[in-house]
Amino acid sequence: MLQSTPSIAEEDENNDNEQYDYDRLQFPIDKRLDTSLLKNQHEQLPQITSPTTTGLSSWRIPRLLLNFISVSPHMLAQAEERLYQDLKNKYYGEYVHIRGDNLIWTVRSLNSPPDTIPIVLIHDFGCASGIWVQNIDFLSARHPLYMFDILGFGRSSRPCFDQTNNISAETKFVESIEDWRIAVDLQTKFYLIGHGFGAYLATLYTLRYGQFIKKLILLDPWGFNPKPDENQLNLSTPLWIKLIAYITQTWTSFSAFRYFGPLGLPILKLLAPRWKRLAPIDSSYEKSNALYEYLYHVNVQPASGDVGFQALASWYGWAKEPIVQVEHSRIESISDEIPIVFIYGSRTSIDNTAAHQILHQRGPNNTYIKIIHNAAHFFFMEKPIQFHEVISEILTDLPVYFRTLASVDRTITTTVLPPDRFRTIESLKRLNWNNTGPEQLARAEMKVFETLKSKFQGRHIPVSNNTQKIWTVYSNITSKNYPLVLVHGFGGGVGLWSLNLDQLCLDRPVYALDLPGFAHSSRPVFSLDPIEAEQQFVDMLEEWRIGIGLNEPFILLGHSFGGFLCAAYALRYPKYVKQLILADPWGMGQKPDDWQTSPMQRIPPSLRSLSSVIMKFSPLAALRAAGPFGVKIMKYFRADLRIKFEKLFDDDRVLVYLYHCNAQVPTGEEGFRTISDCLAWAKQPMVDRIQLIDEKIPIHFLHGEESWVDVAPSVMAKSKCENVTIDTIPNAGHHVYADAPVEFEAYLKRVLINKE
């Protein structure tokens, strides 16, 4: 990433640990290949025309235009064949007849273990059963597996839905599922797993036919929350949008897309680039193309299921009849004997408020919420290994006290995320309001580091079972002196040490890392419990030490919040900590009882009075809300940061760097907010436990004379521990390393322990 710079280079590494070694599966339809997906050779393909009067399908379209649109079911069947080519287990595909002379395309597993509970999968809106391609081998190896294309979607029949009648559409969807169950002779109880819109239908089915459900598993479910009013949404619909909506009210989500003809596939690739990294098995060109072609042919068929969905959905995408309503919950009709499990990706845009309400209503004995870290709406494709682990735990009906790989894996948690925890940020990101991302941050960091004279390398160190990465830059690692590890403060990154790195690496190895949740490191979701959140930070630092190979004593230097975490690390993992240096550390002292009237150093009274309001938001939420104006706002409010780095460059590059560090999903900020009390103090102050740090570890406090951080807790620590020293640098503020870099480096040269 940064290897084009003269002073920092990224090492190549392969962190793709989520691939499966599948055997090839052959799959014949029209080509009559020797395949192991057995099919009904007398199958009847559904008609390519649809009785719906939606959009342009009500026009008298010339045959030439029909050929241009290319909506042949055979094309979809062939696209599905290519998608399934590398499956390991054998499956049987057939059209199942239901009432109304409709057909439901069904794929079931062969040779699954007998006498086990079957699994039924229901896909999301705009998809079909092939979307489970990365999961069905795993699931079918343990349970009989059934998956089908919802009526009106994929390869199933496309009947007419009344777009104006949501009750009729709901009944038609639910009854088609029950007709399908009867037709496939599924008489035993089964696990019902639905995703998105499929989860909504699975819930509606359980409301009517719960006697057949062993467990209801809802993946990022749509349609559970009542639609807020426009004032709550901060949405005001302009007249021109309402006019367009009226003109196109007979269109569906895919109406325009259908009539792009041969241009549809490249447009899909352009508008949905994320599908490339969700491609099955690997990210090869052929595999990603197979997924794109499949989804393209799924959605260019005649409008039907999307018309039914439109009958169920309101203008902004909420369900007209949500599962959880203002005065009651429809979930009350589901027996308490049926466990309900909600699984969300930590980066999803789906609001999980309703899941919280259902958990509160039903209780924790039969309702569960799990979060898969660092994954979005299609987490079962993004993170198949983590998804399979949590599904294994759910389906095995283990007792609560039994700990499985899923229950200890930090990528899977039962922590309940607060409503819309990251939804706003992700929405802004999709609208490109925040023009940021890892690539922009890498370029900004490169601009900061290009002034260095020393050679620094950079790479990501995997932690948390290879699901998270900690960005690290380092230099002079062949030196025999004690290594120095630099940990930045809140909202910072490795680039803030650029004033000091050249001098520090002259006589010893130097490692600077981005804390998890900040800057260029991964964005894990932290617990809402302050003790657990602190432990997550500290444990990932220890995994980083192991991953980077620091199996010898080293010196740990942390600034501000980084100083707090360094002290917590030395408390928990003292074995290799040779020396601890805390530069203007945050979180040391107790929050005073009269904190609003106390001097509170130099924090303006206006900010103190707003602290209760500020604590309801991520600390840097305003920066992200500013979007493209973020750098200008930083330049206005934090011009001092630009001045601090004028010794290296006379431009705004450090502000641009800090903007991209903090304009992304704020999981590190959420972790900090959980640990902090009104931002200025820690809920678990370090001064209360600093005496528990191994007395053999020298602890040095370094403060800026003009900093807002109180020196009193350091003095209290010195009174408790004989291994503590305190120093102050004149004319320096909180960023002591940047306010007085020469004095800071001279101090380190004086106190740092050398092997000689």
Side-chain angles (χ1 to χ4, degrees), residues 376-391:
H377 185 55
F378 289 91
F379 51 78
F380 53 90
M381 299 183 73
E382 282 187 86
K383 302 288 183 181
I385 294 178
Q386 287 77 15
F387 174 68
H388 296 164
E389 288 171 356
V390 72
I391 281 292

Side-chain angles (χ1 to χ4, degrees), residues 96-99 104 106 120-123 148-151 169-186 190 192-194 197-206 208-209 212-213:
V96 174
H97 289 264
I98 63 172
R99 77 179 93 173
I104 299 292
T106 305
V120 174
L121 301 174
I122 306 182
H123 61 80
F148 61 87
D149 291 350
I150 299 172
L151 183 67
E170 179 179 307
T171 301
K172 183 174 290 190
F173 278 125
V174 173
E175 293 304 319
S176 70
I177 298 175
E178 173 62 6
D179 290 349
W180 170 87
R181 183 198 63 78
I182 296 172
V184 298
D185 196 27
L186 191 56
F190 54 88
L192 185 57
I193 303 178
F197 176 55
Y200 180 75
L201 296 182
T203 306
L204 295 179
Y205 178 83
T206 307
R208 297 193 189 188
Y209 301 102
F212 300 110
I213 305 303

Side-chain angles (χ1 to χ4, degrees), residues 100-239:
D101 199 25
N102 289 315
L103 303 171
I104 299 292
W105 173 246
T106 305
V107 175
R108 69 177 79 180
S109 61
L110 299 175
N111 306 322
S112 293
D115 303 323
T116 54
I117 301 173
I119 296 175
V120 174
L121 301 174
I122 306 182
H123 61 80
D124 195 4
F125 172 79
C127 301
S129 54
I131 206 72
W132 305 102
V133 64
Q134 294 211 68
N135 316 110
I136 57 178
D137 272 348
F138 176 86
L139 296 173
S140 65
R142 293 155 178 80
H143 299 266
L145 182 68
Y146 296 80
M147 56 184 184
F148 61 87
D149 291 350
I150 299 172
L151 183 67
F153 291 91
R155 297 181 62 180
S156 293
S157 294
R158 302 213 165 216
C160 177
F161 283 84
D162 183 355
Q163 187 175 335
T164 64
N165 190 332
N166 63 299
I167 302 299
S168 172
E170 179 179 307
T171 301
K172 183 174 290 190
F173 278 125
V174 173
E175 293 304 319
S176 70
I177 298 175
E178 173 62 6
D179 290 349
W180 170 87
R181 183 198 63 78
I182 296 172
V184 298
D185 196 27
L186 191 56
Q187 300 298 331
T188 61
K189 287 191 174 184
F190 54 88
Y191 296 122
L192 185 57
I193 303 178
H195 173 240
F197 176 55
Y200 180 75
L201 296 182
T203 306
L204 295 179
Y205 178 83
T206 307
L207 289 172
R208 297 193 189 188
Y209 301 102
Q211 68 270 26
F212 300 110
I213 305 303
K214 175 70 175 178
K215 189 173 291 188
L216 179 62
I217 303 170
L218 306 174
L219 314 181
D220 242 26
W222 172 88
F224 271 61
N225 295 285
K227 173 189 170 185
D229 59 38
E230 292 191 5
N231 292 329
Q232 288 178 279
L233 291 169
N234 294 321
L235 293 174
S236 56
T237 308
L239 178 62

